[in-house]
Amino acid sequence: LLFKNSLLGLLESMEEKGYNASLNPEHPRIMIGRNGELIKTRKGRHRFSAAQIVGAKNIVVEIDNIHPLWLKKIEGDFKGNVLKKIKEGLKCIELKHTSPGKDAQ
């Protein structure tokens, strides 16, 4: 019953309409791993997973943690213009994880 009413409904809705960030004010939370991989956390993990399964093109997430080794790989230390490097690195992750599918609404 949980799968039929909740998870399957979520998958069907997201497949038909795409990811709709306005349905829930709390966005799924992720961490960025040492190689730039996206790691889901406890908050919003069903929506995040459903979006990945149906190939949603855009999903709004909040980043909880960034692995220090990933920062080092993008030459982001805590000196200089680290914010610029993080933004560039996040753009690369976004492009890597963008897949064909439904647009965000």
Side-chain angles (χ1 to χ4, degrees):
L1 194 58
L2 166 69
F3 292 110
K4 183 177 181 182
N5 293 336
S6 180
L7 298 177
L8 287 178
L10 176 63
L11 287 167
E12 289 169 355
S13 172
M14 209 175 283
E15 185 173 42
E16 181 183 322
K17 301 173 188 170
Y19 179 80
N20 187 340
S22 66
L23 292 178
N24 193 323
E26 283 192 30
H27 303 300
R29 295 181 178 211
I30 62 161
M31 297 180 288
I32 298 177
R34 67 182 65 164
N35 296 311
E37 68 275 18
L38 302 181
I39 303 167
K40 63 185 182 223
T41 64
R42 294 183 60 120
K43 296 267 186 172
R45 66 179 180 244
H46 292 111
R47 284 175 285 140
F48 183 72
S49 295
Q52 289 182 313
I53 289 169
V54 301
K57 187 174 181 181
N58 296 307
I59 179 171
V60 178
V61 296
E62 291 183 29
I63 300 170
D64 275 347
N65 293 301
I66 298 174
H67 199 287
L69 290 177
W70 181 75
L71 280 178
K72 202 171 192 177
K73 284 180 183 179
I74 64 166
E75 299 176 22
D77 55 21
F78 295 97
K79 303 173 192 159
N81 197 350
V82 68
L83 184 57
K84 180 180 177 192
K85 290 290 187 180
I86 290 174
K87 284 180 180 181
E88 291 170 359
L90 291 175
K91 189 66 179 168
C92 288
I93 288 175
E94 179 183 3
L95 292 172
K96 178 181 175 186
H97 290 280
T98 300
S99 61
K102 307 287 184 198
D103 288 322
Q105 298 178 3

